[in-house]
Each structure stands twice: as C-alpha cells, then as structure tokens.
Amino acid sequence: MNWQPIETAPFDIDEATGFRWLGNCLLGRHDEYGWVSWVGCMDADMWLERGSDRNRRRCETPSHWMPLPPPPAQEPPR
C-alpha cells in the first residue's frame, strides 16, 4: 500500500444531501515540520481524526490517504 493523492480516495456520496463520506483510513499531509499522518475519515464533508479515546474531532485537510490494513484474525493473547 502506498500513499495516494486525496482526490483518489474512494468517497461515497449521499444521494439526498450530496455530502461526501469516507471510512477510516490513514490520512496524511506534509507541513513545515515534515510528514504528519493520522487515522481519520470524512463525515458529511468534514474531515475528522480519531483520537486515542476513540472520539472524533475536526482535523486538518489531508493531502494523501492510504487504506488501513485489515484487523488481525483474532485477539492477541493477554
């Protein structure tokens, strides 16, 4: 999996509202400090990031995206 321009992300469009939606993926952008990446999504045309507390907050507009890998088949032993 490689970084791809955000314009190529597989957005879904709500027929009734015209809003764009994108499920969880790895988002990224380059700023003055270097490359920044985070897990996030687009919900009703608003970019959101997923925090460690599993809440979602508005975030910067990404320039690139990458699909998340599938989850493990089973939970790791405790």
Side-chain angles (χ1 to χ4, degrees):
M1 292 185 277
N2 294 319
W3 286 107
Q4 301 173 46
I6 199 65
E7 297 81 18
T8 66
F11 293 103
D12 290 324
I13 299 178
D14 184 297
E15 297 285 329
T17 64
F19 285 140
R20 295 183 307 158
W21 306 81
L22 177 65
N24 280 334
C25 57
L26 190 60
L27 303 173
R29 67 180 172 81
H30 198 270
D31 65 12
E32 64 270 19
Y33 303 107
W35 189 254
V36 179
S37 61
W38 66 95
V39 174
C41 66
M42 175 175 267
D43 186 354
D45 280 347
M46 179 173 36
W47 286 107
L48 302 172
E49 68 177 324
R50 184 172 182 170
S52 59
D53 57 3
R54 300 178 71 90
N55 289 330
R56 294 181 189 243
R57 300 175 271 292
R58 286 182 188 221
C59 68
E60 298 289 326
T61 301
S63 61
H64 289 76
W65 76 284
M66 183 185 302
L68 289 176
Q74 60 186 14
E75 286 190 35
R78 294 184 179 183

